[in-house]
């Protein structure tokens, strides 16, 4: 039997040189002492050249570095090119912004790697071990405190604190005091909301509760408080902030750590194999903080008045900034404060509640150090890169349709055309930022598997991105025309509730959690800063609310897409039954 091969392949095979080596040739000769006993061989210390270090680390770092570049650079380039080509304005402090964006990329790379190596093993170990060694109330207490801790560790939470310095105290006193005087307590309240969501979500895992009743029951107090606060002229200015706080909480720390704990508890109880596992906590972690911030605002309105807040703000005459509030000390303090308390709590749970030894201490310590260092570097980049770029772009875009001193020859277009340009800018920003989110791709794969291909990954990604883009565009319109946020949110959630009632449980789970994947550590600060800059440019009282609209948008779009898929599947089943009936009758 003959087989034809290429001559080049033949030459390659016959020229391959092979040499067999004995194992003894690779080992040193055995040395003996004076008594004839073998002398144990002690190898020399391994010497690694600089080029060897580079070759070892380069593949490891480049993959993680490129991952963050894909998340940051396209958005930054879009804002810069829009500013230069459409608005005809140069990017001021371009080198400072470039350095800040590089810090964001490096900081996120270090932080995400540290999260995987250092913090995630804690959540998985505690989630799988805790139910077997502790009572349910202890388990829920741990879940509650963990929810608070992960909120402080969220990279995007710093964006809320940065926004405090931009708000005008005389135009929005309650908003100003919440972001400055009450900022620490507000973040704690947000964390308590996430903690309660972790507890309720874990109960849902354990008992297999439907998500629909939880959606209805959570929205009742949320919308009720929104309606009451919107009727109070001064308090109504905090609604955008309250609803935006729900978007900030569902980031790269909260979702994986809380989910790993909840799913671990459900699996240990023998109830973690349901397709519902993993869904629900993200939705609750978005809505509970909104309730918390609204209640805090009501409390502040009872204990102080707008006049007192303005008077207290005007009495501050010293502009000298303390050393610990300057770069890089403030970023270092915030980075340590965000990570270390959470780590201490996890260690206490492992050693004193579970009475377990911490495995792989070296790797976990390395991961925690990366988390702290990454958070510090990210905070520096947030101040000088993302926040600066977003604020600058947002403050210049209104020059397309209105007169601005900062934009030469403004308005650049007619009012209607310029307004359309601004809305398209916002929509493309939301659509592109969401489509580039790595978490959305992972959610798409999960959904495609859970629905047996009925809801394809690409369709989900486009539905979510369309919803976010539309939500951000509506948020910009809210700022331009000073539309009360309640006028947009309440009809939006009313539509979402109606679609929820009509949808299957699996599509409800997917839709209400899809909003959580759109609020990454890059998107939140950028969109938040853009909204505040936009608001200042058009003279709006506050620029919050864009993130909250970006959260309701994908819920509606995914639910509507799910109903369409549901209708197609039912139609196909009807046609198949008709064909079967025809065959039987024939």
């Amino acid at each position: 039997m003959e087989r034809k091969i290429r001559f080049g392949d033949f030459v390659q095979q016959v020229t391959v040189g092979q040499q067999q080596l004995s194992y003894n040739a690779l080992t040193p000769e055995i040395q003996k002492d004076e008594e004839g006993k073998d002398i144990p061989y002690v190898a020399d210390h391994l010497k690694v050249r600089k080029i060897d270090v580079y070759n070892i680390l380069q593949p490891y770092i480049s993959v993680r570095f490129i991952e963050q570049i894909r998340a940051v650079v396209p958005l930054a380039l879009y804002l810069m090119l829009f500013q230069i080509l459409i608005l005809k304005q140069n990017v001021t402090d371009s080198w400072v912004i470039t350095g800040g964006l590089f810090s964001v990329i490096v900081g996120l790379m270090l932080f995400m790697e540290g999260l995987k190596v250092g913090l995630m093993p804690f959540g998985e170990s505690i989630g799988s071990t805790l139910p077997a060694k502790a009572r349910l109330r202890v388990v829920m207490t741990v879940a509650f405190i963990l929810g608070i801790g992960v909120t402080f560790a969220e990279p995007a939470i710093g964006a809320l604190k940065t926004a405090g310095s931009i708000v005008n105290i005389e135009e929005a006193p309650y908003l100003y005091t919440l972001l400055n005087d009450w900022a620490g307590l507000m973040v704690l309240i947000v964390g308590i909301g996430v903690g309660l969501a972790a507890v309720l979500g874990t109960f849902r895992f354990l008992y297999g509760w439907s998500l629909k009743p939880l959606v209805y029951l959570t929205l009742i107090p949320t919308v009720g408080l929104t309606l009451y606060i919107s009727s109070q002229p001064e308090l109504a200015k905090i609604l955008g902030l309250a609803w935006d706080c729900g978007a900030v909480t569902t980031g790269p720390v909260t979702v994986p750590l809380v989910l790993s704990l909840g799913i671990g508890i459900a699996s240990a109880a023998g109830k973690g194999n349901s397709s519902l596992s993993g869904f629900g906590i993200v939705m609750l972690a978005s809505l509970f903080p909104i309730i918390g911030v609204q209640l805090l605002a009501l409390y502040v309105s009872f204990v102080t008045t707008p006049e007192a807040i303005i008077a207290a703000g005007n009495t501050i005459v010293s502009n000298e900034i303390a050393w610990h509030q300057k770069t890089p000390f403030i970023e270092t303090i915030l980075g340590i404060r965000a990570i270390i308390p959470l780590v201490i709590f996890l260690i206490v749970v492992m050693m004193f509640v579970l009475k377990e030894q911490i495995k792989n201490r070296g790797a976990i310590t390395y991961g925690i150090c990366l988390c702290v260092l990454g958070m510090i570097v990210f905070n520096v980049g947030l101040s000088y890169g993302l926040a600066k770029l977003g604020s600058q772009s947002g403050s210049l875009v209104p020059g397309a349709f209105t007169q601005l001193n900062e934009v030469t020859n403004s308005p650049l277009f007619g009012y209607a055309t310029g307004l359309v340009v601004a809305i398209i800018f916002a929509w493309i920003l939301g659509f592109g930022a969401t489509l580039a989110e790595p978490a959305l791709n992972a959610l798409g794969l999960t959904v495609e598997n859970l629905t047996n291909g009925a809801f394809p990954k690409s369709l989900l990604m486009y539905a979510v991105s369309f919803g976010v883009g539309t939500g951000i565009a509506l948020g910009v319109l809210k700022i331009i025309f000073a539309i009360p946020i309640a006028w947009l949110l309440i009809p939006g959630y009313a539509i979402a509730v109606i679609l929820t009632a009509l949808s299957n449980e699996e599509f409800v789970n997917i839709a209400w959690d899809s909003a959580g994947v759109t609020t990454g550590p890059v998107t939140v600060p950028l969109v938040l800063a853009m909204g505040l800059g936009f608001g200042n440019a058009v003279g709006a009282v506050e620029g919050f609310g864009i993130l909250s609209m970006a959260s309701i948008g994908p819920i509606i779009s995914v639910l509507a897409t799910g109903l369409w898929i549901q209708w197609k599947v039912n139609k196909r089943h009807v046609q198949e039954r008709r064909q079967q009936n025809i065959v039987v009758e024939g």
Side-chain angles (χ1 to χ4, degrees):
M1 182 177 178
E2 295 181 356
R3 183 169 64 91
K4 293 182 179 181
I5 62 171
R6 292 176 60 252
F7 179 72
D9 295 335
F10 169 75
V11 173
Q12 183 180 5
Q13 292 296 324
V14 298
T15 54
V16 171
Q18 294 183 349
Q19 182 180 2
Q20 292 185 348
L21 293 175
S22 170
Y23 177 74
N24 294 328
L26 301 175
T27 57
E29 293 184 8
I30 298 175
Q31 303 293 326
K32 298 184 179 293
D33 58 16
E34 297 177 352
E35 299 178 358
K37 296 180 179 179
D38 295 344
I39 300 175
Y41 172 73
V42 179
D44 295 333
H45 289 292
L46 184 65
K47 294 180 181 180
V48 182
R49 299 169 299 170
K50 292 180 181 179
I51 188 65
D52 297 326
V53 174
Y54 172 79
N55 290 332
I56 293 170
L57 294 180
Q58 188 270 335
Y60 176 79
I61 293 176
S62 62
V63 172
R64 288 150 182 81
F65 190 72
I66 290 172
E67 188 177 305
Q68 301 309 326
I69 284 178
R70 288 173 179 167
V72 176
V73 172
L75 289 179
L77 281 178
Y78 170 70
L79 292 177
M80 290 179 179
L81 290 174
F82 188 91
Q83 187 171 319
I84 294 169
L85 299 178
I86 306 298
L87 302 179
K88 311 295 183 185
Q89 301 297 310
N90 293 325
V91 179
T92 57
D93 298 326
S94 57
W95 287 107
V96 175
I97 290 174
T98 302
L101 293 175
F102 181 76
S103 294
V104 167
I105 292 170
V106 174
L108 277 178
M109 179 189 72
L110 296 174
F111 179 81
M112 296 303 291
E113 184 64 18
L115 183 68
K116 294 174 186 175
V117 176
L119 291 182
M120 285 300 294
F122 267 126
E124 292 167 1
S125 299
I126 292 172
S128 59
T129 310
L130 191 62
K133 294 194 172 185
R135 295 182 178 179
L136 186 60
R137 61 186 178 186
V138 176
V139 173
M140 294 307 165
T141 302
V142 171
F144 176 71
I145 299 175
L146 181 64
I148 298 175
V150 295
T151 302
F152 281 90
E154 276 294 344
I157 204 73
L160 287 177
K161 300 173 183 177
T162 305
S165 59
I166 304 175
V167 178
N168 189 317
I169 187 173
E170 294 184 356
E171 292 184 349
Y174 284 128
L175 181 62
Y176 177 88
T177 194
L178 278 179
L179 287 168
N180 290 277
D181 307 322
W182 298 79
L185 182 59
M186 185 181 72
V187 176
L188 177 62
I189 295 281
V190 170
I192 291 173
V194 176
L196 291 173
V199 171
L200 190 56
T202 303
F203 273 122
R204 178 172 179 266
F205 287 162
L206 286 173
Y207 300 111
W209 293 342
S210 169
L211 188 62
K212 288 186 180 183
L214 294 180
V215 170
Y216 305 144
L217 291 173
T218 309
L219 280 177
I220 289 171
T222 310
V223 174
L225 285 169
T226 299
L227 286 171
Y228 173 76
I229 291 174
S230 64
S231 67
Q232 310 295 315
E234 289 298 331
L235 267 181
K237 298 168 186 176
I238 67 95
L239 282 176
L241 169 67
W243 282 84
D244 279 0
C245 283
V248 174
T249 58
T250 51
V253 183
T254 303
V255 174
L257 266 178
V258 173
L259 274 183
S260 63
L261 177 65
I263 293 174
I265 293 170
S267 299
K271 300 179 180 180
N273 296 323
S274 168
S275 62
L276 302 179
S277 294
F279 290 104
I281 287 185
V282 175
M283 182 277 293
L284 296 170
S286 297
L287 292 179
F288 279 19
I290 300 171
I291 299 173
V293 174
Q294 289 183 125
L295 290 174
L296 176 62
L298 285 174
Y299 174 77
V300 171
S301 69
F302 292 145
V303 300
T304 187
T305 62
E307 294 77 14
I309 295 170
I310 294 171
N314 291 333
T315 56
I316 302 173
V317 294
S318 176
N319 293 324
E320 185 178 351
I321 301 175
W323 66 269
H324 61 273
Q325 294 180 326
K326 298 178 182 178
T327 301
F329 302 107
I330 181 66
E331 287 85 6
T332 304
I333 292 170
L334 290 175
I336 294 172
R337 190 186 297 170
I339 304 298
I340 299 304
L342 175 61
V343 172
I344 292 172
F345 168 71
L346 292 172
I347 291 173
V348 167
V349 172
M350 283 290 290
M351 297 187 68
F352 296 101
V353 178
L354 300 180
K355 297 185 177 2
E356 291 276 342
Q357 292 296 320
I358 299 173
K359 300 176 182 178
N360 303 320
R361 294 187 180 184
I364 289 177
T365 304
Y366 164 73
I368 291 168
C369 291
L370 283 184
C371 274
V372 174
L373 180 61
M375 182 68 84
I376 293 169
V377 176
F378 175 81
N379 285 336
V380 173
L382 176 64
S383 302
Y384 295 97
L386 286 179
K388 203 174 185 68
L389 178 61
S391 179
Q392 184 179 144
S393 297
S395 63
L396 294 177
V397 170
F401 59 87
T402 190
Q403 171 68 38
L404 290 181
N405 295 330
E406 295 83 359
V407 180
T408 309
N409 300 323
S410 60
L412 301 174
F413 309 96
Y415 184 77
T417 305
L419 203 59
V420 171
V421 168
I423 299 306
I424 291 175
F425 160 79
W427 190 88
I428 293 175
L429 176 66
F431 185 87
T434 306
L435 206 58
E437 275 288 343
L440 180 58
N441 186 63
L443 178 67
L445 287 171
T446 303
V447 169
E448 188 170 342
N449 292 331
L450 288 178
T451 59
N452 295 320
F455 206 141
K457 181 187 78 170
S458 58
L459 183 60
L460 176 78
M461 293 179 68
Y462 283 118
V464 173
S465 300
F466 178 84
V468 174
T470 305
I472 289 181
L474 287 172
V476 168
L477 283 175
K478 171 255 177 192
I479 295 173
I480 294 173
F481 295 109
I483 303 171
I485 190 69
W487 291 13
L488 296 173
L489 286 173
I490 292 175
Y493 276 93
I495 294 170
V497 167
I498 293 170
L499 294 176
T500 297
L502 298 173
S503 300
N504 289 340
E505 181 75 22
E506 58 183 3
F507 291 124
V508 172
N509 295 326
I510 295 163
W512 282 91
D513 271 8
S514 65
V517 304
T518 64
T519 50
V522 176
T523 310
V524 167
L526 201 59
V527 171
L528 195 58
M530 187 202 73
L532 293 171
F534 212 105
N536 286 336
V538 298
V541 174
E542 48 86 20
F544 292 99
I546 294 182
L547 288 174
S548 57
M549 294 307 301
S551 295
I552 182 59
I555 296 173
I556 294 174
S557 63
V558 174
L559 282 172
T561 306
L563 283 173
W564 176 69
I565 291 173
Q566 197 174 318
W567 174 78
K568 281 184 63 179
V569 170
N570 291 337
K571 183 180 178 182
R572 187 176 65 188
H573 288 165
V574 170
Q575 289 176 345
E576 289 175 352
R577 282 196 293 269
R578 284 178 180 174
Q579 290 176 354
Q580 289 175 356
N581 291 335
I582 292 172
V583 171
V584 171
E585 290 174 1

